[in-house]
Amino acid sequence: MAQDYFRALRDVALVINSSLEPRDVLHKISEETAKTMGCKACTIRLLDSTGRFLLPSAAYGLSANYMRKGPVEVKKSGLDHEVLAGKAIHLKDATADGRFQYPESAKAEGLVSVLSVPLMADGKAIGLMRVYSDVEREFTPDEETFMEAVAAISALAIENARLHEALRSNYELMSKHAYSVYED
């Protein structure tokens, strides 16, 4: 099993290295993570600029209905609040745990156990990653470590993509400014 984790981590690193397009990278990461862990689904959610909401950034294995269930508000989700504080959290049955914000939607989607880990950059949470199992299960310490490793390199990829975008925008602004100086 550890061999599968190493291969999956290598594949995630290769995906991250292959593109600066965050959506494509995050979708491939969510798919790889769900498949490697034998889970039905995986999501990656990033905090909005206010830090109040977790926005869907990538998903694998979930219906459009589930993804549109409603806004994920950090203060209304005890689970997400704990994860964003830097803790990996396992819920054996999300549909019966009061910390899960949308238990009825999870039940309708056939989701039971979840494992959530934070996406950390510069010591602060920028979002979270979650896998969903369609059967009740315990996640092993190796699975938790694998998820934390994927989350760490995913957070690095997200920050790199954001920096790349900021540099590109600054370059375009500087280029326009320089061009307008020469027109005068």
Side-chain angles (χ1 to χ4, degrees):
M1 192 66 163
Q3 293 267 345
D4 292 338
Y5 294 141
F6 289 129
R7 277 194 193 92
L9 280 174
R10 180 206 59 208
D11 291 347
V12 166
L14 290 173
V15 163
I16 288 169
N17 262 345
S18 71
S19 173
L20 282 169
E21 198 55 52
R23 278 216 187 276
D24 296 341
V25 170
L26 295 178
H27 282 287
K28 288 177 185 169
I29 290 169
S30 63
E31 179 178 359
E32 185 69 36
T33 302
K35 287 179 176 179
T36 300
M37 293 184 65
C39 287
K40 172 185 171 105
C42 178
T43 57
I44 297 172
R45 290 183 175 270
L46 299 178
L47 282 169
D48 71 348
S49 60
T50 69
R52 291 177 43 223
F53 295 95
L54 282 161
L55 305 175
S57 300
Y60 170 80
L62 295 170
S63 69
N65 272 350
Y66 184 78
M67 293 306 296
R68 288 192 300 258
K69 66 190 173 293
V72 177
E73 195 171 350
V74 175
K75 73 177 182 184
K76 290 185 179 177
S77 173
L79 170 65
D80 295 331
H81 188 72
E82 287 181 62
V83 174
L84 292 171
K87 292 170 46 179
I89 303 288
H90 166 243
L91 300 181
K92 202 169 189 174
D93 184 357
T95 65
D97 193 303
R99 296 174 291 175
F100 202 75
Q101 189 176 353
Y102 292 101
E104 295 306 317
S105 296
K107 186 176 232 158
E109 188 75 7
L111 306 176
V112 183
S113 294
V114 299
L115 175 62
S116 303
V117 298
L119 295 168
M120 304 293 287
D122 294 326
K124 65 179 185 172
I126 61 169
L128 59 81
M129 183 174 197
R130 181 173 293 145
V131 289
Y132 305 81
S133 175
D134 55 3
V135 295
E136 190 172 296
R137 67 181 267 191
E138 293 285 342
F139 289 95
T140 67
D142 283 346
E143 288 173 317
E144 187 174 316
T145 299
F146 169 73
M147 279 270 296
E148 289 170 338
V150 171
I153 60 176
S154 298
L156 183 60
I158 291 162
E159 288 302 294
N160 284 343
R162 287 175 174 171
L163 287 172
H164 175 76
E165 183 59 32
L167 285 172
R168 192 172 65 76
S169 295
N170 286 345
Y171 175 77
E172 288 172 3
L173 282 173
M174 286 179 14
S175 296
K176 286 179 187 176
H177 178 72
Y179 184 73
S180 67
V181 168
Y182 288 119
E183 285 183 329
D184 294 339

